[in-house]
Every structure is written in C-alpha cells, then in structure tokens.
Amino acid sequence: MLLVLLSIILLLASSALALFFSREPSRAQDAGAYGAVAASALGLWAAVRTLAAGSAETLSLPWSVPLGSLSFCLDPLSALFLVPVFLLTGLAAVYGVGYLRSYAGSKPLGLAWAAFNTLTAAMVLVFTAANAVLFLLGWELMAAASFLLVLFEHDKAQSRKAGFIYLAAGGAGALLLMAAFALLGAGSPLLDFASFRTPSGTAASAIFLLALGGFGLKAGFIPLHVWLPEAHPAAPSHVSAVMSGVMIKTGIYGLIRVLVFLGPWQEWWGWTLLAAGCVSCVLGALFALAQHELKRVLAYSSIENIGIILAAVGLGMVGAAHNADRLAALAFAGALLHVFNHSLFKGLLFMGAGAVLHGAGTAELDALGGLAKKMPRTALLFIAGAASACALPPFNGFAGEFLVYLGAFKGISSYPAVALAGVLAGLSLAVAGALAAAAFARAAGAAFLGEPRTERAAAAHPPDGLMLFSMYALGALCLAVCAAAPLLLVPLVSAVGAGFGGGFGAAAALEVPGPLVYISAGALLLAAVAAIAAVKRRSMFPAARTADVPTWDCGYAAPTARMQYGASSFAQPLTDFFQPVLRKLGQYPVIAEYFPGKASFSTEAQAVVYNAVYAPAAARIRDLAYRFSWLQHGRLQIYIMYIVVTLLGLLLWKL
Amino acid sequence: MEIVKPLTQYLAALLLAPLLPGIINRVKAFFAGRRGQPVLQLYYDLYKLLQKAPVYSRTTTWVFRAGPVIGLAAILTSLAVLPFAGRPSFLAFDGDFIFLLYLLGLARFATVLAALDTGSAFEGMGASREMQFAVFAEPAFFLGLAALARVTGQTSLAGMFGVLTGDLWRTAAPVLALLTASFFIVLLAENSRVPADDPNTHLELTMIHEVMVLDHSGPELAYILYGAALKLWFFGALIACMVLPRHSGSWAGDTGLFLLAMAGVAAAVGVVESVIARLRLIKVPYMLITAFAFSTLALIFQMGR
Amino acid sequence: MHTFAELIIVFVILLDLALAVTGSLSSCIRLVAVQGVVAGILPLLAGSGTPHARTAAFAAFIILLKGVVFPWLLTRARDRSGARKDVEPLITYPASIMLCLGAFIASSWLGSRLPLPETNVAWIVPASLATIFTGFLLITTRSKAITQVLGYLVIENGIYIFGLALFVEQPLMVELAILLDVFVAVFVMGIAIFHISREFDHIDTAELSELSDWRRGEYGK
C-alpha cells in the first residue's frame, strides 16, 4: 500500500517538475517520462504482490477535512484494475517521449507531461480510495487532467468541441455521483466506504440508477457515450491509449464497488446492465465500421468493449438473482479478464494509430494505404492488436470473451429467464464480434495494405525505437496472456471474490480453472499448427520468386491506387443494410447519360445519438436558459445583492 | 491406445476432405448430363500446385503470404477439436464450439487481409462481401448451437453429439430438423456454394470467395484450396452428426456410417447446386436471415417445452 | 402421433415465415392454400384415438374449400385483374421476417400466460397467434387488394387452429360460422377486385385513397 502511495507522490512530484521545466521541452519530457516509468514500476510491484497474495491492505492517515478521511484500500479488485494502469501508463510514457518529440517548440510539453502524470496519479487514487470524498477528489482530478490533454491541439476546432462535450459529460457525471454517495453515506459521518450501511429497497434502486448514470458517463456505454468518440481521438495518441485503455474502466470499477455496497441485488438491475451492454457492444461495433478516421474507429471499438464488460456483469447479476452462482462467477471473471485484456490491446491499437498519424500526418482511412511497406513492424503490431480486438485466438481478447460465452451457455440450459439472459449476452457478443472483425479488417486493410492512396501515405516514415518498444511490449503481452492463461487464475479468483463477494470467488475457483487451461491449450495448439504450416510452406520454395509484376487486376492493364477498395466501399454493403440505424449522410452520383463524365461521391458517418438526442436537448435547455438571461446584468453590485437576498431568504425560511 | 482412434479420425479427415468437392462436382455433372471431372480431381490439383513456384505482385507484403498459412492452420486446428462420428477428438472441452467459431473467424480475417493486401478492386470487393455475410452467418450459427446446447443440456460439441440419439429425434424432431436446416444454409454460405456464391462462375464481379484468392498461386493456392475442402468437411461433419444419431457402439461401424453420411451431405450440396439458381448478391443476407429465423424458432420451441 | 402433429405445427409457422417474405403473388396464394390444408389435417391428429366420422367429413370439407376453391377464386381474380405478379411489400424482407419472429416470440409468451385448457399438442396456441399476426402483417404491409384477402384467409387459418386448442373435440360450430363469413368475404372481394381493376387498371389500395373526398378538388381541375 505504501508503495502505491509512494508512486502517487512520485507522479505528482514529477508532474510539478515537468511543469517547472516547461521552457525546456527535452527536460520536461525526461522529468515526466522518468517519473511515470519509475512510479509504474513501483506501483506494478505493489499491485502484483497484492494479486498474488489475494488479501487486502488498508491505510488511514489523519486528515482534517470535514466529511472526509484519508483512507486507502488496496484489495485484489483494485489491484486488478491497477495492473493495467501502471503497465499502460508506463509504456505510454515511453511511447510519448518519441511521439511528442515532433511537437517540441510548438506545444507546451511541460504542461502535457504534468497533466499526463497527474491523470495517472488521479486514476491510482480512484482505484485505491476507501472514502467517498477522496474518491470524488481523484475523480475530478482525473477529469481535469484529461480535459487538458484533450485540448492538447486546441488550435483545431474539433478538439475544442471535443473538450467542451467532455467537460459537460464529466460535470454531469460527477454531479450524479455526488448524489449517489450522499445517499449511500447517509448516517456515516466520514463517508468511509467501510462505514456505508446497506440501503433499503427503493433507496438502493435510486442509488443504483444514479451510479449507473454517473459511472456510465465515464465508462461511455451507449447512450452515455457521446463524449468518447470526440475526446479520445482529439488527445495525443499515447493519452488516447491511456484514456481508452484504462481511464474509462474507472466507470466499471466504480459501478462494481457501488453494487457491493447496495447489498442484495434486484434482478432488474442485472437486466438493465445486460440491456445497456448488449446495445453498446453491437452498436459500438457497428458505428466503428462506419467511421472514416482510424482513431474514431478505435474509440467506437472501446464502446463495444465496455458493452461486452457491462453485458457480462449484467448476465452475472441476472444469474445471481436466480442462484446460478457458477454462471455468475464465470461471467464476472470474464468481465474482469476483459477489463485487463482490453487495456492491453486497445493501448496497442491506439499506439499503432499514433504511429500512423506520426508517420503519415493523417489518420483518415481514405487517405492512407500501403503503410505496411513503409512501417512493417507497426503493421504487424497493429494487425495483432486488431486480431485481439476481434477476440481471435491465440490473442488475449479471446480469453475474456470465452469466459463470458461459457457463462452464457451455462445459462442457456437453465431456467427460462436465465436462458434468455444467456442467449441475449451470447448473441450480442457473436454479432458484435462479426461486426468488429469487419471493422478492424477494414481499418487495417485501408491503412496498411494495398497501394498508398495519397502522396502523404506514400511518404510515410516509421516510428522511432521508443514508440516501437512500447508497442512490441504490449503485443507480446497480448500473445502471452492467452498462452499463459492459467497463470491468471489466482488473480482473477481473488478479484472476483473481492469485487463481487466471497461466494462468487469460491464458485470462480471451481469454474474458471478448466476454461483457462483449455484457452491456453487451444492457443498453443493453434500456434504449433501454424508454425508447422509455415515451416512446410517455407521448405517448398525457400527463395520464392518475387517477380516485379503488378497485381493481376482481372486483366485490367493500368490499375491505379484510387481503384482499390477503400474504407467506404469495403463497409458499404453492411452500412447500407444498417442505414436505418447508422443514418450516414452521403452524396451519390446519378448516372443519366451513356458516357458519364466526372462524378463525385461522399459519405459521412453521423454521431447518431448525439444528433438525435443530445443536440436537441441542449438546444432546448439553452432556450430555457435564455429566458432567465434578464437575471444576468454583468454588474457586480447586483450579483452581491442576489447573494444577500438568497442568504436572507434562507435565514427567514429557517426561522 | 486411446490416442490411436482420435489420430486415425484426424488423419481420415485430412485425407478424405478433398473428396467432398469431387463428389459435389460429380453430382452436378450428373444433373447436367455430363461425365464430369474425376472424383479425385482436387488431389491432382493440389499435387500440381505444390510443384509450382508462386508469383507475387509487387504490391503485396508479408500479409499476403501469411494469409493462406494462418487460414489453413486455423482450419486444421478446428478439425482437431471437431468430433468425428459423434466421438471426441484430441481436444474436447466445455464451450469448444466457441473456440471453433473464432478459429473460423481467424481464418476469415487472415484471408480477407491477404485479399486487401493485393490492392485489387476485385479482391477488395470479395473481402467486403465475405465480411458482410459473416455478420449474418455467425448469429445464425451461434443461435443454432445455443439451441443444440439447450436440447442436449451439454456444453461441448462431443457432449452434444454424444447425447444426440434416435430417442432425442423422436421427442424433439421439429427442433432438430430446424437446426439441421439452419446449419445447412450456413454450410452453403460459409463454403461459398450456390445459392450464396458460385465457385464456377466466369465473372469476377459476382464472386465472393473465389475472387479473394485470385492473386494467390503455387503452394499458397494449394493451401487455400485444401483449407476450403477442410472447411467443407467441418460443416459437413456437423450436419452428418446431426442427422446420424445412431451410435452402434462399434467404432468401425460408426465411422463407416459417418463417412457415408458425409458423402450424402456432399451429394445434397450437389443436388442443391443443380436445382437452385444462384441468388442475387443483395439477397444472400436474406437467405442467412432465414437461417437465423430457423435457429431462433428452434430455440424458442426448445425453451417452451 | 403427437410428434407428427408438432411437426405440422412447425410447418404452419414456417409457412407463416414464408408468407411474410415471399415476393410472388401466385406463390403467396399457394402458400395460403397449403396452410389451409395443413390446418385442416390437424384436428385428425390432435384428438386422442381415431377421429370421429363427423370430424373427418368436416376436415375433408375444409381441405376442399381452402385447398381448391379459394385458390381457384383468387387465382382467377388475380389473372383477370391483370396486375403485376409481385406482392409489392411496403417494408423490406429482413423487417418482415424480424416482425414475424418477434410475433412468434410474443405469442409464445402470451400462450404461456393465457388461461387455456391443456392441449395435447405443444405449440398450438403460439402457432395460432403467430398465424393471426402474420395475417395482420400481410394486410398492413402489402399494397395490393388481393394480399388483403390473403391476409384475411391467413387470419382465418389462425383462428381455426386456435379453435382447435379450445375445443379439441368439437371445433365445428364456431369454425363453420367463421368459415362462412370468410367464404362470403372472399367471394365478394374476388368480384370487387375484378371490378375495381376494370375501373382503375390496377388494384393497388394506395391508389384507392384517390377516391376520398378531400382530394377530389385537386383532380377536378
């Protein structure tokens, strides 16, 4: 526990140092990155030790803030969330040094590093706080630091819009959480988590809904996701990796914690989570398919994965309501494993996208192509990350989803209600998996394969060694997690026990070992067969002729790069089919003559939920606010008068 | 001793799979009044291709070369999990069909990326369609397996097919019939047979699977063709296990019957290809949605029993 | 015997699906006829023991009416109207099939909730409700008048099967009354379609709205 506190202090100190060096970019980079890496190493050691031991450590320091206390707790659930935080921020810091180098002089790197390390410290605080005030403090610090990072390129209008939406979403979420914690902590003077009393039925449901809204706004499931696809692409890529990989998981973490405080779960909570999860994972994957920018594809894929995690938690809760503890244990373990896995592959993918942005200067899919020849290692790693994101064995994404599927199938041969939940969860995962495979094949294909579509893509340069190092590390972890899945048994079981209750931990200890062994057996078998097939292939024509011939374009003699299937055309059959949901905008050429001349075509993916729900609602609220604009005079005297009147009113009311 | 039978089964699958396309072609030739190519034609083709040096376009990268290898490896691995004649293979575990589903997904992903690596419009077209149809085929297949899991109360393929007996057909015939129909439609779509795709068409514009592998040659093409035959074997074996619930107890008898049923499935595919016209591309998803409807109906029937 | 009856029930539902998605008018007529015949066979299988002679005679009558007379009338009406040979649905195939599946899910839930006497054959009630819904689907989402008649016939099939669940032994009286209504309806519609088409050259019900008063002004110019 002390090590984790030490890492928080180290992070805050190094961010102060980075701010101090803001005039000298290279020193600021060093201060920030060394601090982040050292803190990661410390924290990782502490978190792994807690996971291996499977026990909780608590720490209370004297603090004289009303309603608060400096109480920390590091239990296996916190540790399971902390491991990816430290892993990813450490690697992202290494990556960031290479990535930000080109911004030296044009952007305030000292501020960026200060915000990055503060963000990390805030996340660690959120995952270890055992007091509501401390938790909310970390929560707000996290929102503020990441807000600064979203505005890193504030000269772009899109970044400013993203920053505003992000700020609004963060504010709304924090308000809901304050209400939730106020209700939870009624009767406990210090708002320590340990002193929360189990609320009664209706109050519990109200708290559940408040927490779902507050944490959901951070986790970003549909329909609370509108900030995510704006903010994640706007931040620098290593920050996007951290935001998508671990920061949104604070929402999942908070939700799980609150669920435990709420005592006996009501069945409809499970159904609510399941429904939100199913909708998010299918629509997230579908929206990812329609995006034209690489980082936006990844952002929507994060929504999909949050949906998978949420659906798994919901499935487990429905199962628990019907006393199907083994199903619940599998689903919960799958959810937690996917939390871990998603942070690895999403970190890798965002870093890959960052390498593309860094090397080609754009991440618009229709402007890329053929990058695999310019940056072969990035291509390899991105494709590995994409395969992970599609849950394809032998990569890690498969492991967590497999556990969830298994839970779903346990449910399918059970009572009708549980069976329905199992079918819904499994079916959504299957549909989302197929859509995600299409989305990632499209993204990887359009960016890395074929011929470059623009000169910028043709002139792309590979990322430097530091960036590659981080990506290699994450790629290796993606493979290792699936191959060495049985090693994860102890951490998973103890985290399930700590997060959801000891009964589920015991059930998980029975149910999880088998699947983990088979996952790794399957992955190793596949790797062995692939190795044999590759060696056999190599032995046939070791020095195969790579004659200088063009692609046989069905006899067409002069193919150009623009004739390739691009991102829009690849997705078109599916996006057309789902047009009622996607509502993409487009201009299609009309061919009316026998010899048509030049024509143009464009499609644009809409932010469907934002445009259909939030924008009209915001306009409505603004109109309402204008009606009260007469209150606003811009004169200090009148404002002071308002305050005096309010005070008097309160006084009179209390009399 | 226990390793011998699974090994024999596995080797039998590897050796006999290229027969299935031969049988289909012979049935089609029979319907068309032709003599048709030899049943062993695919073996000759594979042998010939393995002797040939491949040619690579200058656009392609390692992705193009890795595609067929990974695709074949995934199918080979899946056959090591697939039950043979209702008996477990090397690996059988709870939820193994999920592993199989994702292995097929891996093969598809590798093939699609290899197709996109050529930079050809035609191959991109095929890749796009392949991914589109997978979005409709996978839910149908998944729900079918879910219904099968509910009918049998088992969560591994070997378990399911071990429980699937004549008695079960007597009590749950409607459900099992619907599932067989659904799996058969998925077989046709996944193996690019008529009416979803036409392996013999002349026009690249209308192809799906064949157009994705236009640029592959030599051993890589052999890998792809062999992988396709194994994939046909995979789906055929599922259907053969569905419709052949008899377990005589003798390994040789079961195996013989199973092989006959496989030939029957191949013949059925040939008959379907001969009597049904190919669907318009835009209607292929409709066909798969029909399979989805069959699976859903089966599941609802089973839940209400 | 009951497994066989269940298979027939499944067949009825598959016919519902097929009706929801089929594109050609003549196959639509044929499907409705097949469904009528299949439904007509059901009472012979659903009861316990050998069917009563009266039941058998009645089933024969139903089969004759639904399998021969109605299709003949409808085909005649379609041929004489000279309309296009496809159904012209207002919604897409996937939407139709998903609606049909949704109807089946809803009716299986409803079937488990309705306080009905136990039936010998599983799924009679859900199948009948689903069939009724498919009839409504045909009526509401197809543009031709003839598909509306077909829709009524499908609803009648559903009611017939529903009656079977209620009165396993004597569905006769209720059914006979409905059948008579439907018979008259088909007859009248057959004639009506024929005449409408002579007047308007087509039998698209959407065009019939031109007859309404408020648009007459426009057309009067």
Side-chain angles (χ1 to χ4, degrees):
Chain A
M1 186 66 239
L2 273 174
L3 283 177
V4 174
L5 277 191
L6 203 62
S7 77
I8 293 181
I9 293 166
L10 197 58
L11 283 166
L12 291 177
S14 67
S15 62
L17 203 62
L19 212 52
F20 177 74
F21 284 129
S22 50
R23 306 247 161 189
E24 296 163 81
S26 67
R27 280 207 188 169
Q29 291 241 59
D30 285 348
Y34 280 120
V37 171
S40 290
L42 275 181
L44 202 57
W45 170 243
V48 168
R49 215 177 44 181
T50 304
L51 276 179
S55 57
E57 286 177 68
T58 54
L59 183 75
S60 260
L61 300 172
W63 195 27
S64 62
V65 170
L67 292 175
S69 73
L70 268 183
S71 310
F72 299 91
C73 174
L74 180 63
D75 68 352
L77 183 72
S78 306
L80 193 79
F81 279 87
L82 278 176
V83 169
V85 169
F86 287 125
L87 260 179
L88 199 56
T89 51
L91 289 171
V94 175
Y95 179 96
V97 173
Y99 185 77
L100 289 178
R101 211 169 270 155
S102 57
Y103 289 99
S106 63
K107 296 277 177 220
L109 293 192
L111 183 63
W113 278 105
F116 181 77
N117 284 3
T118 310
L119 171 64
T120 311
M123 284 191 292
V124 178
L125 191 60
V126 165
F127 286 133
T128 51
N131 176 282
V133 175
L134 197 61
F135 182 90
L136 286 174
L137 189 77
W139 191 264
E140 289 289 296
L141 196 61
M142 185 170 82
S146 50
F147 170 71
L148 288 179
L149 289 164
V150 169
L151 282 184
F152 182 68
E153 295 187 76
H154 56 85
D155 42 329
K156 291 183 185 162
Q158 209 175 1
S159 289
R160 289 198 298 274
K161 183 189 167 206
F164 178 72
I165 297 178
Y166 183 48
L167 202 62
L175 273 180
L176 292 174
L177 288 186
M178 281 177 201
F181 278 118
L183 281 177
L184 256 177
S188 64
L190 281 180
L191 288 174
D192 274 339
F193 286 174
S195 66
F196 285 167
R197 266 172 289 169
T198 311
S200 68
T202 358
S205 291
I207 296 169
F208 169 76
L209 287 178
L210 285 170
L212 185 66
F215 290 122
L217 271 167
K218 185 60 77 180
F221 65 79
I222 293 173
L224 303 176
H225 68 289
V226 284
W227 63 273
L228 202 152
E230 306 293 331
H232 286 198
S237 296
H238 64 294
V239 180
S240 317
V242 171
M243 285 173 76
S244 248
V246 286
M247 196 190 77
I248 56 173
K249 307 294 171 39
T250 54
I252 301 287
Y253 170 82
L255 201 59
I256 294 175
R257 279 279 183 242
V258 168
L259 282 176
V260 175
F261 300 145
L262 291 182
W265 298 330
Q266 295 173 22
E267 192 180 341
W268 68 267
W269 300 352
W271 285 106
T272 311
L273 291 186
L274 181 65
C278 291
V279 169
S280 299
C281 70
V282 173
L283 288 188
L286 186 59
F287 289 151
L289 185 65
Q291 301 307 312
H292 292 280
E293 210 247 2
L294 191 51
K295 284 174 86 173
R296 284 179 88 90
V297 173
L298 300 181
Y300 273 108
S301 149
S302 289
I303 296 173
E304 178 219 341
N305 284 287
I306 284 291
I308 291 172
I309 296 165
L310 214 59
V313 174
L315 171 67
M317 286 173 71
V318 173
H322 290 269
N323 294 322
D325 278 8
R326 296 182 151 204
L327 178 169
L330 275 172
F332 292 150
L336 292 182
L337 187 53
H338 201 68
V339 165
F340 180 64
N341 285 333
H342 176 243
S343 58
L344 296 182
F345 68 70
K346 193 46 64 69
L348 172 59
L349 284 168
F350 263 113
M351 290 182 189
V356 169
L357 198 57
H358 184 258
T362 176
E364 286 292 331
L365 288 174
D366 286 317
L368 296 169
L371 293 183
K373 279 193 277 300
K374 300 283 174 190
M375 34 175 96
R377 294 185 192 141
T378 311
L380 172 70
L381 289 162
F382 189 89
I383 289 173
S388 288
C390 303
L392 299 176
F395 293 100
N396 65 346
F398 178 68
E401 288 199 26
F402 184 73
L403 291 184
V404 182
Y405 270 121
L406 217 50
F409 269 90
K410 278 260 180 318
I412 283 170
S413 29
S414 175
Y415 313 105
V418 186
L420 184 63
V423 169
L424 277 181
L427 186 62
S428 316
L429 252 66
V431 176
L435 284 171
F440 277 104
R442 165 181 179 268
F448 290 102
L449 306 179
E451 293 285 352
R453 290 181 181 80
T454 55
E455 280 171 23
R456 274 208 280 190
H461 61 86
D464 71 4
L466 285 175
M467 292 163 75
L468 269 177
F469 166 79
S470 293
M471 295 200 287
Y472 266 120
L474 285 173
L477 279 171
C478 282
L479 264 180
V481 165
C482 204
L487 290 180
L488 297 174
L489 176 66
V490 175
L492 266 184
V493 167
S494 52
V496 169
F500 296 93
F504 298 118
L510 288 175
E511 285 294 322
V512 177
L516 288 183
V517 170
Y518 285 119
I519 287 167
S520 84
L524 292 176
L525 180 68
L526 175 64
V529 174
I532 293 170
V535 168
K536 189 87 192 70
R537 160 73 195 83
R538 213 157 241 271
S539 72
M540 278 183 265
F541 291 95
R545 207 146 47 95
T546 47
D548 194 27
V549 291
T551 295
W552 182 71
D553 217 8
C554 296
Y556 188 69
T560 70
R562 308 234 335 142
M563 287 180 189
Q564 295 174 92
Y565 243 49
S568 314
S569 39
F570 186 86
Q572 198 208 4
L574 277 169
T575 51
D576 277 0
F577 189 87
F578 291 106
Q579 173 67 7
V581 182
L582 286 172
R583 302 190 200 171
K584 57 180 173 158
L585 310 168
Q587 283 190 326
Y588 299 86
V590 182
I591 297 173
E593 306 152 48
Y594 288 115
F595 300 100
K598 251 188 182 172
S600 70
F601 158 82
S602 74
T603 61
E604 188 189 339
Q606 260 202 95
V608 180
V609 181
Y610 180 79
N611 290 351
V613 181
Y614 287 86
R620 212 42 90 63
I621 291 171
R622 202 179 46 218
D623 288 349
L624 205 66
Y626 274 137
R627 296 211 186 146
F628 291 95
S629 59
W630 56 269
L631 282 169
Q632 187 190 15
H633 294 268
R635 283 169 65 180
L636 190 62
Q637 292 91 330
I638 291 178
Y639 290 154
I640 290 176
M641 190 191 78
Y642 288 155
I643 295 173
V644 172
V645 168
T646 313
L647 281 176
L648 275 177
L650 285 173
L651 197 66
L652 285 175
W653 179 52
K654 266 291 164 190
L655 277 175
Chain B
M1 200 54 205
E2 265 319 293
I3 191 72
V4 175
K5 280 177 188 170
L7 198 65
T8 322
Q9 293 169 0
Y10 189 62
L11 287 179
L14 297 196
L15 285 178
L16 296 178
L19 265 182
L20 297 181
I23 296 175
I24 294 177
N25 280 332
R26 283 307 278 257
V27 172
K28 285 171 75 175
F30 171 78
F31 269 81
R34 291 181 284 118
R35 170 100 68 73
Q37 44 183 252
V39 178
L40 299 180
Q41 184 63 43
L42 186 55
Y43 293 95
Y44 305 146
D45 288 349
L46 289 177
Y47 180 76
K48 181 185 70 186
L49 285 170
L50 288 175
Q51 311 299 314
K52 291 197 168 196
V55 177
Y56 299 117
S57 145
R58 68 172 89 93
T59 307
T60 58
T61 59
W62 60 269
V63 177
F64 180 75
R65 274 160 247 192
V69 174
I70 293 174
L72 181 63
I75 302 289
L76 282 173
T77 312
S78 69
L79 283 180
V81 182
L82 186 78
F84 186 94
R87 283 161 194 276
S89 236
F90 295 116
L91 261 181
F93 50 93
D94 274 359
D96 49 7
F97 45 87
I98 300 296
F99 184 53
L100 295 185
L101 214 63
Y102 278 89
L103 281 176
L104 294 180
L106 176 68
R108 186 182 303 121
F109 193 70
T111 316
V112 162
L113 284 187
L116 289 175
D117 198 26
T118 61
S120 153
F122 291 100
E123 298 193 29
M125 206 181 284
S128 160
R129 288 169 185 164
E130 177 92 356
M131 277 305 185
Q132 183 203 4
F133 298 152
V135 168
F136 298 103
E138 280 205 359
F141 196 38
F142 173 85
L143 267 193
L145 289 168
L148 197 57
R150 186 150 176 108
V151 178
T152 56
Q154 299 285 323
T155 44
S156 76
L157 270 186
M160 288 176 186
F161 291 131
V163 173
L164 196 69
T165 56
D167 284 341
L168 200 61
W169 264 96
R170 232 159 281 142
T171 54
V175 176
L176 294 176
L178 278 172
L179 286 181
T180 311
S182 172
F183 287 156
F184 193 71
I185 296 178
V186 174
L187 176 144
L188 293 176
E190 283 280 333
N191 290 290
S192 45
R193 314 300 316 187
V194 177
D197 186 7
D198 189 351
N200 295 331
T201 180
H202 305 290
L203 194 60
E204 293 89 347
L205 268 174
T206 62
M207 292 181 183
I208 301 166
H209 190 265
E210 299 303 309
V211 77
M212 280 205 297
V213 300
L214 275 180
D215 261 83
H216 287 281
S217 53
E220 263 115 22
L221 187 58
Y223 270 35
I224 288 170
L225 291 180
Y226 187 48
L230 290 176
K231 195 173 174 188
L232 188 57
W233 178 277
F234 176 95
F235 280 95
L238 277 185
I239 291 168
C241 287
M242 287 288 294
V243 296
L244 197 77
R246 199 171 299 280
H247 300 299
S248 61
S250 101
W251 182 73
D254 275 357
T255 306
L257 269 177
F258 174 75
L259 292 179
L260 272 181
M262 287 295 283
V265 172
V269 173
V271 172
V272 167
E273 294 217 342
S274 308
V275 300
I276 293 184
R278 176 165 176 201
L279 287 174
R280 283 168 62 202
L281 272 172
I282 209 162
K283 296 227 163 147
V284 176
Y286 297 0
M287 178 179 110
L288 289 166
I289 289 175
T290 308
F292 177 79
F294 283 178
S295 296
T296 316
L297 276 185
L299 190 63
I300 301 169
F301 270 126
Q302 191 53 35
M303 300 228 321
R305 286 173 84 85
Chain C
M1 210 53 165
H2 283 154
T3 312
F4 191 58
E6 272 181 26
L7 270 175
I8 285 196
I9 291 283
V10 173
F11 190 51
V12 167
I13 294 170
L14 288 182
L15 285 171
D16 286 343
L17 281 183
L19 272 170
V21 301
T22 189
S24 109
L25 214 48
S26 56
S27 66
C28 225
I29 295 174
R30 232 174 294 141
L31 284 170
V32 174
V34 171
Q35 197 179 41
V37 170
V38 168
I41 298 172
L42 258 183
L44 303 178
L45 301 168
S48 40
T50 17
H52 205 270
R54 203 174 48 171
T55 319
F58 180 69
F61 173 64
I62 297 261
I63 290 171
L64 187 72
L65 198 59
K66 288 183 179 170
V68 181
V69 181
F70 285 175
W72 177 70
L73 275 173
L74 288 167
T75 314
R76 190 167 146 267
R78 188 207 58 177
D79 288 345
R80 295 213 178 161
S81 70
R84 282 177 57 194
K85 304 275 185 262
D86 52 349
V87 259
E88 297 178 39
L90 303 173
I91 53 174
T92 60
Y93 174 101
S96 289
I97 205 162
M98 286 299 157
L99 275 175
C100 214
L101 272 183
F104 187 66
I105 292 170
S107 41
S108 63
W109 178 76
L110 210 63
S112 65
R113 287 303 180 89
L114 284 179
L116 291 174
E118 277 291 304
T119 51
N120 289 331
V121 183
W123 292 106
I124 279 202
V125 176
S128 63
L129 293 177
T131 308
I132 292 171
F133 181 84
T134 309
F136 281 123
L137 190 77
L138 281 187
I139 292 173
T140 49
T141 63
R142 307 291 191 261
S143 53
K144 285 210 173 97
I146 197 160
T147 40
Q148 316 241 323
V149 185
L150 287 169
Y152 286 122
L153 276 175
V154 174
I155 292 180
E156 202 279 332
N157 283 342
I159 294 173
Y160 178 78
I161 301 171
F162 192 75
L164 214 60
L166 283 181
F167 324 99
V168 179
E169 293 308 323
Q170 62 249 111
L172 300 177
M173 290 321 292
V174 184
E175 167 60 24
L176 215 54
I178 301 168
L179 196 65
L180 217 64
D181 285 352
V182 173
F183 183 69
V184 173
V186 173
F187 204 70
V188 170
M189 287 290 237
I191 296 166
I193 290 168
F194 178 52
H195 283 280
I196 293 169
S197 68
R198 263 210 316 219
E199 293 298 320
F200 288 88
D201 291 338
H202 46 61
I203 48 168
D204 190 334
T205 45
E207 308 284 336
L208 286 183
S209 60
E210 285 171 11
L211 291 175
S212 78
D213 282 334
W214 66 275
R215 290 183 78 174
R216 191 168 287 165
E218 293 174 342
Y219 277 78
K221 283 175 195 168

